[in-house]
Amino acid sequence: MPEPYLMWVAGEERPGRGELIPVEDPATGEIFAHCHAASEEDVEDAVALAQAAFKSGVWSRESRHRRADVLDRSATLLEAELPELIALEVRQTGRAVREMKAQVPSLVRWLKYYASLLRVEQRPLLPTTGKLHNFVDRAPLGVVAQITPFNHPLLIAVKKLAPALAAGNSVVLKPSELTPLTTLRLGAVLKAAGLPDGVLSVLPGYGALTGVALVRHPLVRKVDVTGGTAAGRVIGAFAGANLARYTAELGGKAPLVVFGSADLQLAVNGIAFGSFIASGQTCIASTRIIVQNGVLDTVVRLLKAKTESIAARMGAPSNPDSTMGPLVSAKQLRGVEALVDEAVSGGFANVVTGGKRITGISALDGTDFSKGHFYAPTVLVDASPSERKILKAQLWRKEAFGPVIVVVGFDTEDEAVELANDSEFGLGAGIWTQDLSQAFRVAERIDAGITWVNTHHRNDPSSPWGGSKSSSGLGVENGVEAYEAYTTAKSTIINYASTEEALATDDWFRESAGAVRYG
């Protein structure tokens, strides 16, 4: 067993005073690494160092062009680290290497985007009445806390770090205890790019201890979390108690609507990608497939064939030919099993394909699935379409976070919208149609923060990413909006009237009568 991974604190590796965290390979069940965890004292130290760095101005008052240069160099240095980072990301998440080779290289775009934003951001000049020059700057907030999840460790960390650092903040980041290793590597990369010591700390740890100590710290001026809805509400209460700003990207139960005019094979390919990428462990996974009844049987037939093809080519996540990896943990696997079993045994749904844990030997490469947390990509249909029994199953309502989809039929556009909106969540949604007018109509009516038409899971640094309902979170990631959420507006008003004019109009308490200005 190699030496445990150390925390990254204010520009250097340090041991933690919390218990060591075991890091499991989800494909084999093997503990392949350990990681130091931050205690409450470690959190206190890291926040104090972050606050000192912020107050010193070494980064918070650095020129925007210098900050942009550091972000650009970070992107360049990160690209050189990609082969090792991809391999480590595959090992700790269990995600297929074919996915990681596509996703991980894309994260440098966030660093480059926010570097570019710094160079082109303009200072607004407001149309204030009178001889006043009123301009607005964006000032950093101070120390910000970031909590990232297990499913996209590097991507989500960089998505949060880039705007926060661009704005001039100091950051203390807690990655998921399940997948902390690649995020720890970011500290050294950013330091080598020129980020001053003290500006970034990465503190692995468990949520109930490290996470709570961080988000409730009175010096933390903003909390940014990606995670489940229940955790998001708890963290939000801590942030609210300190009147800290709060951004939360939380749960999802994305509908994907297929109209009769859609190219059905294209739609099925989109469903498979939207549903089974990351083994369904994404907040915008298309888990509720809503299909026009005229093409329902054809879609189910094509989807069954596609899903079984994916299952037949599963193997070791490190195998470039493997299509899908395991779930991240035994706990995650049990949760998916429970939701599917309840839907099927309760008479709410019938299994088209999948519906169980995989325990055999991979035909692709001989991987023993029973050692890992593999679950078959699964398609379910309503057991009683006329009664819509599936709508009563927990699986229709709760976020499974696994490779499981439910297919239901509809007749009219209004019915499709009603089914799509039948959820407490409102993060992502998909529409498949060749009717452009219909695409516009339905997209306007679906209550989701992100709606894709004839595609799914498109993600660009410039495009806002957030929910439209409270169970899916508050605020957005990406774009100018994320950058501004890491700042406060600083308004400066300069009076350029002459001394004579000011004496005549601005003496409120002069002895003679006459009009004076107001506002």
Side-chain angles (χ1 to χ4, degrees), residues 139-195:
L141 298 173
V143 179
V144 300
Q146 298 178 338
I147 310 292
T148 57
F150 68 78
N151 55 342
H152 306 288
L154 268 177
L155 176 65
I156 294 178
V158 172
K159 282 175 68 175
K160 294 182 187 302
L161 282 171
L165 294 175
N169 297 287
S170 295
V171 180
V172 182
L173 188 157
K174 192 201 87 67
S176 167
E177 65 272 15
L178 297 174
T179 56
L181 304 183
T182 49
T183 307
L184 284 166
R185 297 280 296 270
L186 291 175
V189 170
L190 286 160
K191 178 172 181 171
L195 188 70

Side-chain angles (χ1 to χ4, degrees), residues 102-279:
Q103 183 188 87
V104 174
S106 72
L107 57 85
V108 299
R109 293 182 298 157
W110 272 262
L111 296 165
K112 293 178 179 180
Y113 171 81
Y114 286 103
S116 299
L117 184 63
L118 283 175
R119 294 189 175 103
V120 301
E121 183 188 19
Q122 296 181 339
R123 171 188 279 173
L125 182 64
L126 306 183
T128 312
T129 302
K131 292 186 176 180
L132 300 172
H133 190 88
N134 185 183
F135 58 88
V136 180
D137 289 309
R138 305 302 307 191
L141 298 173
V143 179
V144 300
Q146 298 178 338
I147 310 292
T148 57
F150 68 78
N151 55 342
H152 306 288
L154 268 177
L155 176 65
I156 294 178
V158 172
K159 282 175 68 175
K160 294 182 187 302
L161 282 171
L165 294 175
N169 297 287
S170 295
V171 180
V172 182
L173 188 157
K174 192 201 87 67
S176 167
E177 65 272 15
L178 297 174
T179 56
L181 304 183
T182 49
T183 307
L184 284 166
R185 297 280 296 270
L186 291 175
V189 170
L190 286 160
K191 178 172 181 171
L195 188 70
D197 291 347
V199 176
L200 172 64
S201 291
V202 180
L203 304 183
Y206 294 99
L209 179 65
T210 308
V212 169
L214 179 57
V215 300
R216 73 180 180 189
H217 197 289
L219 290 178
V220 169
R221 301 317 309 142
K222 176 181 170 67
V223 177
D224 188 341
V225 59
T226 297
T229 302
R233 289 193 171 106
V234 172
I235 294 169
F238 285 123
N242 289 328
L243 297 181
R245 301 193 185 194
Y246 187 48
T247 297
E249 195 261 77
L250 304 177
K253 196 69 183 170
L256 189 152
V257 182
V258 181
F259 287 98
S261 66
D263 182 291
L264 299 186
Q265 187 60 64
L266 197 63
V268 165
N269 293 346
I271 294 168
F273 174 73
S275 306
F276 301 136
I277 197 77
S279 303

Side-chain angles (χ1 to χ4, degrees), residues 3 23 27 172-173 375 382 384 505 511:
E3 287 295 314
V23 182
V172 182
L173 188 157
Y375 195 86
D382 198 335
S384 179
T505 60
E511 295 180 0

Side-chain angles (χ1 to χ4, degrees), residues 147-454:
I147 310 292
T148 57
F150 68 78
N151 55 342
H152 306 288
L154 268 177
L155 176 65
I156 294 178
V158 172
K159 282 175 68 175
K160 294 182 187 302
L161 282 171
L165 294 175
N169 297 287
S170 295
V171 180
V172 182
L173 188 157
K174 192 201 87 67
S176 167
E177 65 272 15
L178 297 174
T179 56
L181 304 183
T182 49
T183 307
L184 284 166
R185 297 280 296 270
L186 291 175
V189 170
L190 286 160
K191 178 172 181 171
L195 188 70
D197 291 347
V199 176
L200 172 64
S201 291
V202 180
L203 304 183
Y206 294 99
L209 179 65
T210 308
V212 169
L214 179 57
V215 300
R216 73 180 180 189
H217 197 289
L219 290 178
V220 169
R221 301 317 309 142
K222 176 181 170 67
V223 177
D224 188 341
V225 59
T226 297
T229 302
R233 289 193 171 106
V234 172
I235 294 169
F238 285 123
N242 289 328
L243 297 181
R245 301 193 185 194
Y246 187 48
T247 297
E249 195 261 77
L250 304 177
K253 196 69 183 170
L256 189 152
V257 182
V258 181
F259 287 98
S261 66
D263 182 291
L264 299 186
Q265 187 60 64
L266 197 63
V268 165
N269 293 346
I271 294 168
F273 174 73
S275 306
F276 301 136
I277 197 77
S279 303
Q281 297 170 117
T282 70
C283 51
I284 48 75
S286 51
T287 55
R288 297 181 299 133
I289 313 304
I290 302 164
V291 183
Q292 199 149 30
N293 280 320
V295 295
L296 178 62
D297 290 345
T298 302
V299 168
V300 170
R301 175 176 55 81
L302 293 173
L303 191 53
K304 179 177 187 290
K306 187 73 173 180
T307 304
E308 290 176 348
S309 172
I310 294 169
R313 291 176 290 130
M314 289 174 62
S318 58
N319 186 335
D321 294 325
S322 180
T323 51
M324 197 180 85
L327 298 173
V328 76
S329 67
K331 178 182 178 182
Q332 194 67 29
L333 176 62
R334 288 193 297 270
V336 172
E337 287 180 311
L339 285 173
V340 174
D341 291 348
E342 185 263 351
V344 175
S345 63
F348 303 116
N350 294 329
V351 177
V352 174
T353 186
K356 59 185 178 180
R357 180 183 182 183
I358 307 177
T359 57
I361 302 298
S362 167
L364 178 69
D365 57 19
T367 294
D368 185 350
F369 290 131
S370 66
K371 293 182 178 180
H373 312 305
F374 291 88
Y375 195 86
T378 296
V379 179
L380 305 178
V381 294
D382 198 335
S384 179
S386 61
E387 300 177 71
R388 287 272 167 79
K389 279 192 173 182
I390 191 60
L391 304 191
K392 299 175 184 177
Q394 290 189 66
L395 187 60
W396 180 261
R397 305 285 172 194
K398 295 183 69 174
E399 188 175 30
F401 234 58
V404 179
I405 59 177
V406 174
V407 184
V408 299
F410 72 90
D411 290 315
T412 67
E413 201 172 281
D414 286 344
E415 192 179 358
V417 171
E418 182 180 359
L419 286 167
N421 290 336
D422 183 30
S423 174
E424 67 175 302
F425 301 107
L427 186 57
I431 300 169
W432 290 81
T433 178
Q434 295 298 311
D435 184 334
L436 185 60
S437 297
Q438 183 177 64
F440 275 101
R441 286 195 309 270
V442 177
E444 284 185 345
R445 296 177 63 194
I446 289 181
D447 197 355
I450 315 155
T451 300
W452 294 281
V453 177
N454 296 332

Side-chain angles (χ1 to χ4, degrees), residues 63-140:
S63 76
R64 62 179 51 249
H65 296 289
R66 163 75 175 148
R67 295 204 302 266
D69 289 343
V70 170
L71 292 179
D72 270 336
R73 281 197 296 273
S74 298
T76 300
L77 294 174
L78 200 56
E79 286 179 320
E81 300 280 334
L82 288 178
E84 290 184 18
L85 289 172
I86 289 169
L88 188 56
E89 197 83 321
V90 169
R91 189 82 189 274
Q92 68 174 354
T93 64
R95 291 183 58 183
V97 68
R98 66 193 294 176
E99 293 180 11
M100 292 294 92
K101 283 185 174 180
Q103 183 188 87
V104 174
S106 72
L107 57 85
V108 299
R109 293 182 298 157
W110 272 262
L111 296 165
K112 293 178 179 180
Y113 171 81
Y114 286 103
S116 299
L117 184 63
L118 283 175
R119 294 189 175 103
V120 301
E121 183 188 19
Q122 296 181 339
R123 171 188 279 173
L125 182 64
L126 306 183
T128 312
T129 302
K131 292 186 176 180
L132 300 172
H133 190 88
N134 185 183
F135 58 88
V136 180
D137 289 309
R138 305 302 307 191

Side-chain angles (χ1 to χ4, degrees), residues 40-55:
E40 292 186 13
E41 294 81 8
D42 292 322
V43 171
E44 184 65 40
D45 291 347
V47 173
L49 289 165
Q51 177 74 355
F54 180 77
K55 289 295 186 181

Side-chain angles (χ1 to χ4, degrees), residues 52-62 196-197 199:
F54 180 77
K55 289 295 186 181
S56 76
V58 66
W59 184 250
S60 58
R61 292 194 294 275
E62 180 61 274
D197 291 347
V199 176

